[in-house]
């Protein structure tokens, strides 16, 4: 049922693993993203020692990416006939698969200059969900801690932020295969 969903596609009845985005009321404070393995059905969601802080991001950077992520997730929720959501001040539950995709983009921009964010968003949107999940798995396995800015985290930054897409030269996979077969 639609009422069982919280935030972006999270249903605690399907499993309690999720991501939790905390947006403080104070505009000067950073946004924090946690991976969590429990959901308190009785009250407020309090951050506990078992919650894993994955990232803290400036409000300025969050403002540049949050709408794009929100739109991407809501389009897919709508297609699955699930309720849409939006990021609001306070705690925001995010389905674990969306959370993995979100982390790929956030890790890519966390140490990058703000001017590179539009390129990162465009490149992130160009990836399929399965590709984002794989990138999350590889990155999280080796450099998934909050301040672990090396290895795969650096690779995400370069892949998404410093790899501009020239849309006029983009070719679909089907076009590429067709060219190879025909030519």
């Amino acid at each position: 049922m639609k009422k069982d969903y919280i935030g972006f596609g999270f249903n605690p009845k399907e499993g309690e693993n999720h991501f939790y985005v905390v947006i403080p009321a104070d505009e000067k404070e950073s946004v924090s993203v946690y991976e969590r393995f429990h959901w308190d059905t009785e009250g407020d969601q309090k951050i506990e020692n078992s919650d894993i802080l994955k990232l803290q991001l400036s409000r300025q950077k969050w403002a540049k990416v949050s709408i794009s992520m929100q739109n991407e997730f809501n389009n897919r929720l709508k297609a699955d006939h699930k309720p849409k959501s939006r990021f609001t001040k306070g705690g925001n539950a995010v389905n674990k698969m969306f959370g993995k995709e979100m982390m790929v983009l956030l890790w890519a921009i966390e140490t990058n200059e703000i001017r590179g964010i539009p390129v990162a968003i465009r490149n992130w949107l160009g990836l399929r969900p399965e590709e984002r999940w794989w990138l999350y798995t590889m990155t999280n396995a080796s450099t998934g801690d909050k301040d672990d800015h090396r290895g795969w985290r650096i690779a995400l930054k370069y892949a998404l932020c410093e790899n501009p897409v020239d849309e006029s030269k983009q070719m679909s996979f089907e076009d590429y295969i067709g060219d190879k077969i025909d030519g």
Side-chain angles (χ1 to χ4, degrees):
M1 267 200 229
K2 287 187 175 190
K3 67 180 173 113
D4 294 331
Y5 289 91
I6 301 164
F8 290 94
F10 174 59
N11 183 344
K13 293 177 182 176
E14 294 174 353
E16 294 188 50
N17 181 207
H18 66 286
F19 286 77
Y20 199 65
V21 179
V22 179
I23 304 172
D26 184 346
E27 297 284 334
K28 295 174 188 162
E29 290 185 39
S30 297
V31 172
S32 299
V33 181
Y34 295 87
E35 184 172 12
R36 303 176 74 216
F37 299 91
H38 61 89
W39 183 260
D40 183 3
T41 57
E42 297 299 318
D44 292 337
Q45 299 304 311
K46 295 182 178 140
I47 301 304
E48 298 178 4
N49 288 337
S50 60
D51 298 333
I52 302 166
L53 179 60
K54 303 304 268 182
L55 170 110
Q56 287 186 303
L57 192 69
S58 74
R59 288 301 270 275
Q60 190 176 15
K61 288 182 179 180
W62 176 257
K64 296 279 188 191
V65 297
S66 60
I67 297 299
S68 295
M69 290 187 301
Q70 181 174 294
N71 290 341
E72 169 73 0
F73 299 154
N74 280 335
N75 287 337
R76 290 170 41 208
L77 288 169
K78 183 179 177 184
D80 287 340
H81 307 289
K82 294 178 181 174
K84 297 189 305 184
S85 189
R86 62 187 178 97
F87 289 109
T88 60
K89 291 179 181 169
N92 298 267
V94 179
N95 161 294
K96 72 178 178 180
M97 301 311 278
F98 284 165
K100 291 176 179 188
E101 295 175 50
M102 174 180 68
M103 289 309 304
V104 167
L105 179 57
L106 297 180
W107 279 334
I109 68 162
E110 69 181 325
T111 61
N112 198 60
E113 294 180 24
I114 289 180
R115 63 186 161 96
I117 292 176
V119 171
I121 292 169
R122 200 166 40 250
N123 286 329
W124 181 78
L125 288 170
L127 296 170
R128 292 183 175 165
E130 296 85 358
E131 294 168 320
R132 296 178 198 153
W133 301 334
W134 183 84
L135 286 168
Y136 172 84
T137 300
M138 297 306 294
T139 306
N140 191 55
S142 60
T143 56
D145 293 335
K146 178 183 154 294
D147 292 320
D148 207 352
H149 306 286
R150 59 190 174 93
W152 278 92
R153 293 271 272 276
I154 293 172
L156 284 178
K157 174 183 172 180
Y158 286 114
L160 294 182
C161 299
E162 298 188 21
N163 187 19
V165 175
D166 183 350
E167 294 173 4
S168 68
K169 294 181 181 178
Q170 276 190 311
M171 181 184 285
S172 73
F173 181 73
E174 290 78 14
D175 290 340
Y176 176 76
I177 296 300
D179 284 352
K180 291 296 179 186
I181 293 171
D182 296 338

